[in-house]
Amino acid sequence: MKIAVLAGDGIGPEIIAQAVRVLDALKTGGLDIELEYGLIGGCAVDATGEPYPEATHQLARQADAILLGAVGGPQYDTLPRQQRPERGLLAIRKELNLFANLRPAILYPELANASSLKYEVVAGLDIMIVRELTGDIYFGEPRGIEMRDGQRVGFNTMRYSETEIKRIAHVAFQAANKRNRKLCSVDKMNVLECTQLWRDVVIEVSREYPQVILSHMLVDNAAMQLVRDPKQFDVLVTGNMFGDILSDEASMLTGSIGMLPSASLDENNKGLYEPIHGSAPDIAGKDLANPLATILSVAMMLRYTFNQEEAAQRIERATKKVLASGFRTKDIDEPGMKSVGTRAMGDAVLSFL
Ligand code: NAD
Ligand code: IPM
Ligand code: MN
């Protein structure tokens, strides 16, 4: 298992260090794991002038899977857009064709009180957000800011081809098929043509999955329903931008954005694994970040790319035990719990692993 490790910026190196300890422990336990390190994001800009250097691309291309921390930081926000850290992340997703982004929002029962919602609203929550990751307004052309009739005009293009919608719909139907067989497709077809096509194509694909119950929801309603009654959902499928926003919203149902892992897969289940959160500049370098989303991303890597279900479950069981034993980073802390920092949370996971 050749894994490219790209720690990135801000809290990236801190959370990745804990995930790497987990990988090292599995290696000691007999898994054939090989790690190689590379630069992406702001640290890559500092070192090479580019957020996704060619050397990193080669490393990522040759690896079986990629583990990524996070990119970005305020010091890079004024750089020309093609040099910004976020461009590096978009480039690796696009160049490796990682179109299927799985973002599972699962509430560990021990964290029911860390959620900002009432216990009964979130208890038992287990939803899967399937976000399309290489299309939409993120990549559509034309885009830019231009002078028109004496004033600046900013524009982007929301764009999806039939092929792009079809392949993500298949991923979502197959995910639903393995779960509770309910798929909700989220769009804005009442206003946007692009998402009218999204809805039409999802309906066409649904004929191949008669056993899955398909529903549709407009994105504004979906944002509301996610906090009103999130347990009505099993699998959600949506485009790149709506999926970005709805998955951050869903993370708070689970107690913290520091709990949500993700997998970004290509057609062959080669994948990039990363927490859904960002580089959290406000807490970087302070041993405050929750490393569990990153550690749980390693579990997803073992499951989806390496078919090591047993090793994946070992990590998930260790995480459950850590929470059941009262270990809490600041983002999920409560009175009476064992408050720990990033590294001590890693220690706790390792001790149970
Ligand atoms: P963010 O997700 O970095 O942080 C939002 C809030 O959540 C902050 O208060 C932060 O402290 C907290 N938080 C995030 N992760 C946490 C963790 N593991 N443990 C505890 N608390 C955590 O979002 P932002 O502040 O909007 O963005 C900061 C930078 O990160 C920006 O440059 C943005 O572009 C970038 N970003 C990168 C990714 C990525 O690399 N995948 C994702 C989102 C944002
Ligand atoms: C995410 C992030 C990225 C996105 C940014 C940093 C490009 O918010 O992974 O959710 O919008 O996809
Ligand atoms: Mn995001």
Side-chain angles (χ1 to χ4, degrees), residues 100-313:
N101 185 209
L102 310 181
R103 297 189 160 188
I106 295 170
L107 180 78
Y108 288 89
E110 293 80 8
L111 294 186
N113 290 320
S115 172
S116 49
L117 272 76
K118 291 194 204 86
Y119 178 84
E120 58 274 20
V121 174
V122 292
L125 181 83
D126 180 351
I127 60 185
M128 173 70 87
I129 297 180
V130 178
R131 170 191 179 196
E132 201 289 329
L133 204 58
T134 53
D136 202 355
I137 195 162
Y138 272 54
F139 294 93
E141 300 279 347
R143 62 192 297 157
I145 302 172
E146 279 178 13
M147 285 301 285
R148 289 185 194 168
D149 302 325
Q151 65 167 336
R152 284 170 304 162
V153 176
F155 52 95
N156 289 87
T157 305
M158 182 178 255
R159 181 188 184 282
Y160 266 121
S161 72
E162 213 175 333
T163 314
E164 290 173 305
I165 303 168
K166 256 187 208 153
R167 65 180 183 175
I168 193 70
H170 278 290
V171 170
F173 277 106
Q174 282 160 24
N177 220 356
K178 289 192 196 141
R179 295 170 46 103
N180 295 319
R181 300 196 165 148
K182 271 168 50 183
L183 177 63
C184 179
S185 170
V186 175
D187 61 40
K188 187 74 186 172
M189 64 77 93
N190 54 344
V191 178
L192 302 170
E193 287 83 352
C194 178
T195 72
Q196 174 68 61
L197 179 68
W198 178 280
R199 188 176 290 207
D200 294 346
V201 173
V202 169
I203 290 171
E204 287 158 27
V205 173
S206 74
R207 297 191 189 115
E208 294 176 48
Y209 300 90
Q211 62 286 35
V212 175
I213 299 168
L214 173 66
S215 62
H216 305 274
M217 202 177 274
L218 299 172
V219 63
D220 46 354
N221 185 25
M224 185 275 279
Q225 295 294 340
L226 261 180
V227 288
R228 189 189 74 87
D229 177 21
K231 285 188 274 180
Q232 71 184 279
F233 298 114
D234 177 22
V235 179
L236 286 160
V237 63
T238 191
N240 205 344
M241 182 163 65
F242 297 159
D244 178 43
I245 299 166
L246 294 178
S247 56
D248 264 37
E249 188 190 3
S251 76
M252 268 321 291
L253 307 173
T254 74
S256 166
I257 193 163
M259 293 300 300
L260 229 78
S262 84
S264 307
L265 305 174
D266 74 2
E267 306 270 8
N268 307 311
N269 283 346
K270 173 167 177 164
L272 180 151
Y273 297 83
E274 57 171 332
I276 77 152
H277 60 70
S279 56
D282 53 333
I283 58 167
K286 297 181 179 160
D287 196 44
L288 284 175
N290 184 346
L292 293 179
T294 316
I295 290 172
L296 290 167
S297 300
V298 172
M300 291 189 86
M301 175 190 290
L302 290 163
R303 172 169 298 127
Y304 288 101
T305 293
F306 297 123
N307 282 314
Q308 296 277 351
E309 180 60 30
E310 169 53 27
Q313 285 186 19

